[in-house]
Amino acid sequence: MPVGRGGAGLCVCGLECLDDALDLVEVSPGLDKRLRMMIKNSARFIRFHDGARVHGNDTDRTGLLMVLKGSLRAYLLSSSGRECTLFRVEEGECYALSCSRLLSLVTFDLFLDADGTTELLVVDSEVYNRVAVECLAAEAFAYRQAAMRFSDAMWVMEQVLFMRLEARVAAFLLDEVARRRRDSLSLTHDELARHIGSAREAVSRVLKQLDRRGVVLLSRGRVDVLDKRALRALVGV
Amino acid sequence: MPVGRGGAGLCVCGLECLDDALDLVEVSPGLDKRLRMMIKNSARFIRFHDGARVHGNDTDRTGLLMVLKGSLRAYLLSSSGRECTLFRVEEGECYALSCSRLLSLVTFDLFLDADGTTELLVVDSEVYNRVAVECLAAEAFAYRQAAMRFSDAMWVMEQVLFMRLEARVAAFLLDEVARRRRDSLSLTHDELARHIGSAREAVSRVLKQLDRRGVVLLSRGRVDVLDKRALRALVGV
């Protein structure tokens, strides 16, 4: 759930900060003053708690999202509640797949959750649509964002299709260690399974094997990575 | 392998036919005469035999592809030779993911094979790049094509992640029957397994169960679909 508009140093910077944020969209050079004002007037700051649903089939909070702080996790969700993380939208990046212009092309449901306390600038979808109609750079930007995420998602798909579960667990742990810049991960077996779209029981089995081999050290709600070289060997890199 | 440039009524139609084909790209209204001539001068007709590799990491035949006849099958390929079909590019459609402009964003290897004798119009990648720099409509077009294929690929990924193998086989058979407009499919168990990215043994087991239940009739290199309603029930639609 959003905890309100503005806050934590955001409301005080106002339009000036918004100008900086708009530069993230990279289309700024193509925007004339009027289009830029259209975007500015529609943009809202929203802060989300860790784990809050930012976008999905039960929310209407759509538009171009710019991550000012924190990050977003994009994942597929099955009707039975199984998940698979496809990619993350990190600080300073944009997410365009929740623009209605793209939603009309993209027929699958992608869910977005806040990963840690996350502050977003949301440009209203209809406003961005109107801007994109007048400014081809804005349109190309949104599609290009989608193409980049396609690439991320395909990397995950290749893992799901072609990698053994042990290698996928190893790849996930290496990614997380790099992303969080620490070898000690606060992570349950269930969370790990949801990230890689696998069953908890199977993931637990792999983790226990890695623990026995001294590659990781398991404790309650925590995985400590002890031997990155061994993990890299499992991934085959 | 391509069987030569032009042929089968293509070489005789020349530039006139090319004009029609260019309209496929939908960006034509945004192209001035000079850009249109740039594309025209670079475009080549190529015909491929059934099953020929059109694009992949071992070919350099890249660019914007327009399917004039036949169709292309896009698939992921593992280092051990396993495949998973992601989508098809049908007659009258374009494929932009082999343009270098997109290849720089899209880091995964997607393979393209001709499905049946297939005739393509190929706009050279570098030429399309130069056109896209001058014409934002051409750039947006290429990215939009990628976003649409993203959607197709995610539908397959949801199947791989969340559907039981029986349901995936059923979904594939229903798609093929609709696509080929006939209930009798010339298809080996191995081919079906490659399309859905699964193991032949597992697919054979499912097909034999369906045969025993009278849903399909198996014979050498052939699957006859007898009961589409039962297949739809398996898919859950």
Side-chain angles (χ1 to χ4, degrees):
Chain A
M1 293 289 293
V3 291
R5 291 158 67 139
L10 281 174
C11 42
V12 293
C13 60
L15 284 181
E16 215 167 310
C17 158
L18 186 48
D19 257 327
D20 291 342
L22 277 182
D23 288 336
L24 286 178
V25 195
E26 293 170 25
V27 294
S28 323
L31 295 177
D32 63 23
K33 213 169 170 182
R34 186 179 54 86
L35 294 177
R36 209 173 163 92
M37 273 317 286
M38 270 174 70
I39 292 184
K40 269 192 180 182
N41 290 338
S42 93
R44 293 171 300 148
F45 291 112
I46 310 184
R47 192 198 289 166
F48 292 87
H49 291 301
D50 182 30
R53 171 76 46 85
V54 174
H55 180 70
N57 60 6
D58 58 348
T59 77
D60 57 355
R61 232 173 280 113
T62 54
L64 181 75
L65 311 179
M66 306 181 211
V67 179
L68 302 178
K69 199 182 150 191
S71 71
L72 299 173
R73 180 174 75 89
Y75 59 98
L76 294 173
L77 180 65
S78 78
S79 52
S80 63
R82 277 184 60 195
E83 296 180 8
C84 182
T85 301
L86 291 186
F87 54 85
R88 286 165 195 281
V89 190
E90 305 286 359
E91 208 168 295
E93 293 182 347
C94 286
Y95 181 82
L97 280 166
S98 50
C99 283
S100 56
R101 195 163 196 83
L102 274 162
L103 282 174
S104 63
L105 290 180
V106 173
T107 53
F108 60 99
D109 287 326
L110 204 53
F111 291 79
L112 274 188
D113 282 3
D115 195 25
T117 302
T118 298
E119 291 167 359
L120 300 181
L121 194 65
V122 182
V123 176
D124 180 76
S125 190
E126 285 315 307
V127 171
Y128 197 79
N129 263 5
R130 271 184 278 146
V131 170
V133 166
E134 293 193 49
C135 170
L136 270 166
E139 178 162 28
F141 172 80
Y143 292 138
R144 191 153 65 91
Q145 291 292 313
M148 286 165 63
R149 300 307 176 184
F150 186 13
S151 189
D152 294 339
M154 283 302 97
W155 164 233
V156 174
M157 185 154 180
E158 285 190 315
Q159 289 186 40
V160 168
L161 278 169
F162 303 135
M163 269 169 118
R164 287 168 49 230
L165 185 60
E166 200 179 37
R168 286 169 56 204
V169 169
F172 177 81
L173 291 174
L174 286 170
D175 282 351
E176 280 300 286
V177 160
R179 205 172 65 84
R180 302 194 195 182
R181 294 193 194 90
R182 51 189 297 191
D183 293 349
S184 179
L185 304 172
S186 163
L187 191 72
T188 66
H189 298 194
D190 186 53
E191 282 167 343
L192 202 162
R194 283 194 286 120
H195 279 301
I196 67 172
S198 186
R200 190 191 53 74
E201 296 75 11
V203 166
S204 276
R205 207 162 44 235
V206 168
L207 284 173
K208 280 171 193 160
Q209 282 164 356
L210 293 176
D211 181 277
R212 270 198 297 277
R213 288 168 49 193
V215 178
V216 302
L217 176 68
L218 300 179
S219 48
R220 195 177 174 80
R222 177 164 300 283
V223 180
D224 288 281
V225 171
L226 306 178
D227 187 349
K228 278 179 259 189
R229 189 182 295 188
L231 290 180
R232 278 193 285 269
L234 282 173
V235 180
V237 290
Chain B
M1 293 289 293
V3 290
R5 293 157 68 139
L10 282 172
C11 43
V12 292
C13 59
L15 285 181
E16 214 168 312
C17 157
L18 186 48
D19 257 327
D20 290 343
L22 276 181
D23 289 335
L24 286 179
V25 195
E26 294 170 24
V27 294
S28 322
L31 296 176
D32 63 23
K33 212 169 170 182
R34 186 179 54 87
L35 293 177
R36 208 173 162 92
M37 272 318 285
M38 270 173 72
I39 292 185
K40 271 191 180 182
N41 290 338
S42 93
R44 293 172 299 148
F45 291 111
I46 310 184
R47 191 199 289 167
F48 293 87
H49 291 301
D50 182 29
R53 172 73 48 83
V54 174
H55 180 70
N57 61 5
D58 58 348
T59 77
D60 58 354
R61 232 173 282 113
T62 54
L64 181 76
L65 311 180
M66 307 181 211
V67 180
L68 302 179
K69 198 182 151 191
S71 72
L72 299 173
R73 180 173 76 89
Y75 59 98
L76 294 173
L77 180 65
S78 79
S79 52
S80 64
R82 277 183 60 194
E83 296 179 9
C84 182
T85 301
L86 292 186
F87 55 84
R88 286 165 196 279
V89 190
E90 305 285 358
E91 208 168 294
E93 293 182 348
C94 285
Y95 180 82
L97 280 166
S98 51
C99 283
S100 57
R101 194 164 197 83
L102 275 161
L103 281 174
S104 63
L105 290 180
V106 173
T107 54
F108 59 99
D109 287 326
L110 205 53
F111 291 79
L112 275 187
D113 283 2
D115 195 24
T117 301
T118 298
E119 291 167 0
L120 300 180
L121 194 64
V122 182
V123 176
D124 180 77
S125 191
E126 285 315 307
V127 171
Y128 197 79
N129 263 5
R130 272 183 277 145
V131 170
V133 166
E134 294 193 49
C135 169
L136 270 165
E139 178 162 28
F141 172 81
Y143 292 138
R144 191 154 62 91
Q145 291 292 313
M148 286 164 63
R149 300 307 175 183
F150 186 11
S151 190
D152 294 339
M154 283 302 97
W155 162 234
V156 174
M157 185 154 180
E158 286 191 314
Q159 290 186 39
V160 169
L161 278 168
F162 303 136
M163 268 169 119
R164 288 166 50 230
L165 184 61
E166 199 180 37
R168 287 169 56 205
V169 169
F172 176 80
L173 290 175
L174 285 171
D175 283 351
E176 280 299 287
V177 159
R179 205 173 65 84
R180 302 195 195 182
R181 295 194 192 90
R182 51 189 296 190
D183 293 349
S184 180
L185 305 172
S186 163
L187 191 73
T188 67
H189 298 194
D190 187 54
E191 282 166 344
L192 203 161
R194 283 194 286 119
H195 279 301
I196 67 173
S198 186
R200 191 190 53 75
E201 297 75 10
V203 165
S204 276
R205 205 159 48 233
V206 168
L207 284 173
K208 280 171 193 160
Q209 281 164 359
L210 293 176
D211 181 277
R212 271 199 297 276
R213 289 168 49 194
V215 178
V216 303
L217 176 68
L218 300 179
S219 48
R220 195 176 175 81
R222 176 165 302 281
V223 180
D224 287 282
V225 172
L226 305 179
D227 186 348
K228 278 181 259 189
R229 189 183 294 189
L231 290 180
R232 279 193 285 268
L234 282 174
V235 180
V237 291

